[in-house]
């Protein structure tokens, strides 16, 4: 019996649909997919004509793309984008900016940088709360709960979050392995990984080749992959069973890890709560 997938009702689920179907789309439809993933707010607020012009495709291609994603037409797909952005909280950033403007400190002072990082992180965390669907969180926790061994991997900037999740889950009843390349142990640590396990990977641009290798190995071994990344349309995005896209706060060229740690905490505590039931 053929299972019919439900039409996406939130932007997070729609992004998953786009990533899974991307390789099967025609070049024209991939062009729309690229634009929609890169400019979701424009898709939410602009007219169909403007979107077609900016994506450099005919109007009919937008309709065909919407149909390919399971919608009856472009307007019904656009409603998912609009729902996401119209419900986005908007007052925190303005309040922080006002507090900074009223304070007596210079634009490059430690206090100013403190406020700017705070504003960027608040906005990023609020955005993540809107973007991540409960269904995706449940799928990730279910994979972790059913895993024989949980492998956790992240390199360079992503390593602190991977280490935190490993540290948190060491307190649980789960078998947990932190996959890193200290002492050339990357290959020995992943040799026993199999389809009964799960890989949790943290990867941000520029993507570390070590992480790419671990993802490829897990995919070939049919190991479920949970990814936390900054771009769901990354080259290996369609190999993820669950993919959380995070846009971290950024100030003076320094990207935060607040959203990634937030997700890691959520997964760890949710799994430990399952252990006590």
């Amino acid at each position: 019996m053929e299972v019919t997938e439900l039409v996406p009702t939130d932007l997070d689920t729609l992004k998953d649909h786009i990533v899974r179907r991307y390789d099967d789309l025609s070049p024209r439809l991939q062009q729309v997919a690229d634009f929609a993933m890169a400019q979701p707010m424009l898709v939410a607020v602009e007219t169909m004509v403007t979107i077609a012009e900016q994506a450099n495709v005919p109007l009919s291609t937008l309709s065909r793309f919407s149909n390919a994603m399971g919608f009856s037409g472009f307007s019904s797909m656009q409603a998912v984008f609009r729902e996401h952005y119209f419900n986005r909280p908007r007052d925190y950033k303005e309040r922080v900016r006002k507090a900074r403007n009223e304070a007596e400190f210079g634009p490059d002072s430690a206090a100013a940088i403190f406020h700017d990082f705070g504003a960027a992180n608040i906005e990023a965390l609020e955005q993540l709360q809107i973007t991540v669907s409960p269904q995706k969180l449940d799928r990730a926790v279910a994979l972790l709960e059913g895993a024989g061994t949980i492998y956790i991997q992240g390199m360079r900037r992503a390593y602190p979050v991977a280490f935190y999740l490993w540290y948190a889950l060491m307190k649980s009843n789960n078998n947990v392995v932190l996959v890193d390349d200290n002492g050339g142990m990357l290959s020995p640590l992943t040799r026993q990984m199999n389809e009964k396990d799960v890989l949790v990977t943290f990867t941000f641009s520029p993507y570390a080749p070590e992480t790419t290798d671990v993802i490829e190995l897990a995919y070939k071994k049919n190991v479920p992959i949970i990814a936390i990344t900054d771009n769901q349309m990354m080259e290996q995005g369609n190999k993820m069973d669950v993919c959380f896209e995070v846009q971290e706060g950024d100030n003076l060229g320094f990207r935060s890890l607040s959203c990634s740690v937030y997700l890691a905490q959520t997964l760890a505590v949710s799994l430990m709560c399952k252990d006590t039931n």
Side-chain angles (χ1 to χ4, degrees), residues 164-209:
Y164 172 82
L165 182 58
W166 170 78
Y167 171 76
L169 290 182
M170 286 292 288
K171 302 177 183 180
S172 70
N173 298 322
N174 301 276
N175 296 322
V176 187
V177 174
L178 178 64
V179 179
D180 61 30
D181 203 21
N182 290 335
M185 292 299 292
L186 191 63
S187 179
L189 284 171
T190 56
R191 187 177 296 129
Q192 301 300 321
M193 190 165 55
N194 61 66
E195 68 275 3
K196 295 180 180 178
D197 303 323
V198 67
L199 170 66
V200 182
T201 183
F202 300 84
T203 180
F204 310 116
S205 178
Y207 307 106

Side-chain angles (χ1 to χ4, degrees), residues 32-218:
V32 178
D34 292 339
F35 182 82
M37 294 292 281
Q39 301 289 344
M41 181 173 283
L42 289 180
V43 177
V45 302
E46 292 291 355
T47 65
M48 191 173 178
V49 172
T50 300
I51 294 168
E53 289 176 351
Q54 295 200 22
N56 196 27
V57 296
L59 279 173
S60 60
T61 306
L62 294 183
S63 297
R64 288 194 296 111
F65 177 79
S66 303
N67 296 152
M69 294 303 115
F71 295 93
S72 59
F74 179 78
S75 60
S76 57
M77 184 187 74
Q78 188 180 40
V80 174
F81 286 83
R82 287 181 171 172
E83 177 68 17
H84 173 79
Y85 285 102
F86 288 169
N87 284 337
R88 181 180 178 182
R90 302 173 187 274
D91 59 334
Y92 272 99
K93 187 175 181 180
E94 183 58 36
R95 278 188 276 171
V96 172
R97 184 185 294 113
K98 182 179 179 182
R100 176 181 171 175
N101 290 340
E102 291 177 352
E104 295 180 358
F105 45 73
D108 296 325
S109 68
I113 293 171
F114 175 76
H115 276 272
D116 286 346
F117 268 116
N121 284 324
I122 287 170
E123 185 175 21
L125 288 167
E126 287 186 332
Q127 175 66 16
L128 185 65
Q129 285 188 321
I130 298 170
T131 301
V132 174
S133 66
Q135 295 81 6
K136 181 173 286 189
L137 289 169
D138 289 341
R139 288 203 306 274
V141 174
L143 285 174
L144 294 172
E145 186 181 17
T149 300
I150 300 171
Y151 290 84
I152 303 171
Q153 197 270 348
M155 301 295 291
R156 302 172 191 172
R157 188 171 73 92
Y159 182 79
V161 195
F163 186 90
Y164 172 82
L165 182 58
W166 170 78
Y167 171 76
L169 290 182
M170 286 292 288
K171 302 177 183 180
S172 70
N173 298 322
N174 301 276
N175 296 322
V176 187
V177 174
L178 178 64
V179 179
D180 61 30
D181 203 21
N182 290 335
M185 292 299 292
L186 191 63
S187 179
L189 284 171
T190 56
R191 187 177 296 129
Q192 301 300 321
M193 190 165 55
N194 61 66
E195 68 275 3
K196 295 180 180 178
D197 303 323
V198 67
L199 170 66
V200 182
T201 183
F202 300 84
T203 180
F204 310 116
S205 178
Y207 307 106
E210 299 91 338
T211 300
T212 299
D213 292 343
V214 172
I215 292 172
E216 289 293 340
L217 177 64

